[in-house]
Each structure stands twice: as structure tokens, then as C-alpha cells.
Amino acid sequence: MITGKVKFAIVGLGHIGKRHAQMILDNPDAELCAVCDIRSPEETGWENKEVSYFYDFNEMLGHLGDCHVVSVCTPNGLHAEQATAALDRRKHVVVEKPMALSRAQGEAIIYKALQVSRHVFTVMQNRYSPPSVWLKEVMEEKRLGRIFFVQLNCFWNRDDRYYLNNGWHGSRELDGGTLFTQFSHFIDMLYWLFGDIDDIKAGFNDFAHEHSTDFEDSGSVVFNFVNGGMGNMNFSTAVWDQNLESTMTIIGEKGTIKVSGQYMNEVVECHIKDYEMPELPPSNPPNDYGNYKGSAANHHFVIDNVIQTLRERTYVTTNALEGLKVVDIIERIYQHR
């Protein structure tokens, strides 16, 4: 058990890596001991001279000493290799979504973590938003009875402002696909709330990004839930200029729920037998990256969960097996590409 400050190092100083860094620096129970990026501090916009800056990940690992946690915030295709390398040095690991780009890679991370008795935290920050917490309570209390039908719609904008400014976005090898980079949070919500899926059918198209990505920008997926009921997911990053919505509609035996907004931050319908919905606290705003927006800015919850888990005060909110399951579901959907 860790009793003093929990010490972190970060590899990858893009938008998300710097977000992790700020959350660590803002937390009185955390300390940031090193950061790493192949680019210079000037290129990444890193200005903190008090934190050791490395250009080589393996060199940073060799200098971490009593550092406890490595946060992996690099392009998707590097997550598995770097998480495994950090575990080899007996560090706990925080892996940004997606945990890996294949089930086999994810299993290798878990195997190594079990070998060295270290935690792996996967980042699925949508679980912390008030509508998500409330939805989980509703499902655990079986307020809706049997689940009949679930529809998930994710319609976002990701245009040349996003893809052409960063070399790895849009690459099959490093990015993996729209479901991995943009919408794995929402597939995590499906799995967290309703369990695994099977009988998958899917179709894909690349309408607005043929010049900028190696994969689809739009798709429609139909499936059954292993626990009963059916569902579909429609997604696109071809929306013009700005995000449109992320919406989940749940039709159950005893009621209907619809959660909407740009990132599933508003409950717009709750009609359940013998149930009155409580007033929910406001959701955090989305991550704002200038020309585009992402999911809710809940990374401070992730960092706090790491600290409290390593102090043995709580448990991992999104464990490695759940991170693996999201990768597994996306991989099975993409078998239809």
C-alpha cells in the first residue's frame, strides 16, 4: 500500500497526455516525476521545467526509481507495447483508451500485470458522468425489467482540422479505426450497462475522409445482447463543422430512457413504471481541443481512482478485463469491415 504521494510518469504529451499531467499536478496526493515524448517541449507545448523531460520511453523507464505509475497516452497502436514495458519495470499502468488494438495485445498486458502483481487502469471516463452513474443504478436495480431494445447513435465532426494536423490519426496501424479512437467510450457504456453482444452484423463506408484516413468514417452495427434483447449502433465522424450528438435510447419491459446531448450528458426521457427520476448533478463540459470537442472532461476522476486504489481505499473503476472486453467487441465488429 502507498501511504505518501502517488508518483506518476507520462508517455505521450498530446492533448490527452497534457490533460493527465494537469490532473496529476492539481491533485495534492499526486506527484508528476517525469514526462516523455519524441517531440521537443517546444513542439508539445510543455513548459514545466521542474519535471524531467525524456525523448526516449525506455530511457525514462530506466530513470523512474520510486515512481509508482506510468500513464500511457501515446497513439493507440503503441499502447500495448508501452504498457507491457512499464509493467516489466513493476510499475502500475494507466492506459488511455483503447487499451490495445486487438484482444491478443490486451491479453498480453493482463498476463504481464498478473505476473508482476501490478494494477492496470483503463480510461473510460464516461462512466463518471452523472447520467452514466444514474443509468448504472437503474440497470442494477432492474427498474426497466427485461431489456428489449437499445439504440446508440454517435454523430461527431472529425474533419481535416483533426486528421491532417496529426500524422497518426487516420492510420490503420496507429489509430485502428473510428470505433477505437472516437467511440470506444460508448461501446464501453453498452458493455457496462447491458453486457456482452453477439450475432453482429455491420456495414461501413468512408464518405468524407477518403483522402485522410485508412478506414471508415461511418457505420451501422446490429447485434443481440447475450443477456437478452437486441440493439444497434449508428456512428459517423462525417458530420459537418461540429459534433451533433451522442444518444442512447433504452426500451425495456417497464419503461423507456433516452440520454442525449453532444456526449450523452442530458437525460431527455425517463418514463418508468412506479419510478420518479432524481435530480442529477450537472455534467462536466466536454474536452475542448480548439477545433473539435471530445467526451466529458472527467480525467480527474480517473487519477483520483488510481490514487485511492493504490492506497487500498477503493477498487479499480475500469479494470483491465473491462478494457479488454471493449477491444474484443470492437475487433468482432470490425471483422465485418
Side-chain angles (χ1 to χ4, degrees), residues 7 37 85 90 107 152 188 214 284 294 298 328:
K7 298 180 180 181
D37 199 288
R90 304 185 69 82
E107 287 175 342
L152 182 61
D188 175 66
D214 295 337
N284 286 325
N298 289 329
D328 169 62

Side-chain angles (χ1 to χ4, degrees), residues 231-257:
N232 67 35
M233 177 182 185
N234 305 297
F235 68 92
S236 181
T237 55
V239 178
W240 178 75
D241 193 49
Q242 65 182 24
N243 289 356
L244 175 62
E245 66 174 7
S246 309
T247 300
M248 180 183 286
T249 302
I250 308 165
I251 299 172
E253 179 184 15
K254 298 177 181 177
T256 306
I257 293 173

Side-chain angles (χ1 to χ4, degrees), residues 128 241 330:
Y128 295 99
D241 193 49
I330 294 174

Side-chain angles (χ1 to χ4, degrees), residues 304-333:
D304 188 63
N305 179 246
V306 174
I307 292 167
Q308 300 309 324
T309 300
L310 297 183
R311 290 181 167 182
E312 298 183 359
R313 294 175 181 170
T314 188
Y315 56 90
V316 181
T317 303
T318 313
N319 64 49
L321 282 172
E322 292 174 304
L324 173 67
K325 199 64 206 177
V326 171
V327 172
D328 169 62
I329 290 171
I330 294 174
E331 191 173 40
R332 285 186 283 133
I333 291 172

Side-chain angles (χ1 to χ4, degrees), residues 200-313:
I200 298 167
K201 301 175 182 66
F204 306 92
N205 216 314
D206 193 10
F207 294 112
H209 298 87
E210 288 181 306
H211 65 293
S212 57
T213 72
D214 295 337
F215 44 75
E216 83 295 334
D217 64 16
S218 305
S220 188
V221 188
V222 180
F223 49 84
N224 290 324
F225 289 106
V226 172
N227 295 329
M230 63 182 293
N232 67 35
M233 177 182 185
N234 305 297
F235 68 92
S236 181
T237 55
V239 178
W240 178 75
D241 193 49
Q242 65 182 24
N243 289 356
L244 175 62
E245 66 174 7
S246 309
T247 300
M248 180 183 286
T249 302
I250 308 165
I251 299 172
E253 179 184 15
K254 298 177 181 177
T256 306
I257 293 173
K258 184 172 184 178
V259 182
S260 191
Q262 281 199 30
Y263 51 100
M264 277 177 53
N265 54 307
E266 306 166 23
V267 181
V268 296
E269 180 68 35
C270 175
H271 184 58
I272 302 174
K273 180 181 179 182
D274 301 326
Y275 178 77
E276 186 172 333
M277 181 184 162
E279 185 172 341
L280 303 181
S283 297
N284 286 325
N287 285 306
D288 191 335
Y289 304 122
N291 289 322
Y292 60 93
K293 289 181 170 60
S295 293
N298 289 329
H299 278 91
H300 59 292
F301 291 120
V302 176
I303 299 302
D304 188 63
N305 179 246
V306 174
I307 292 167
Q308 300 309 324
T309 300
L310 297 183
R311 290 181 167 182
E312 298 183 359
R313 294 175 181 170

Side-chain angles (χ1 to χ4, degrees), residues 43-54:
E43 289 175 289
T44 60
W46 184 259
E47 298 177 350
N48 191 324
K49 307 290 188 187
E50 298 177 10
V51 177
S52 299
Y53 195 104
F54 292 88

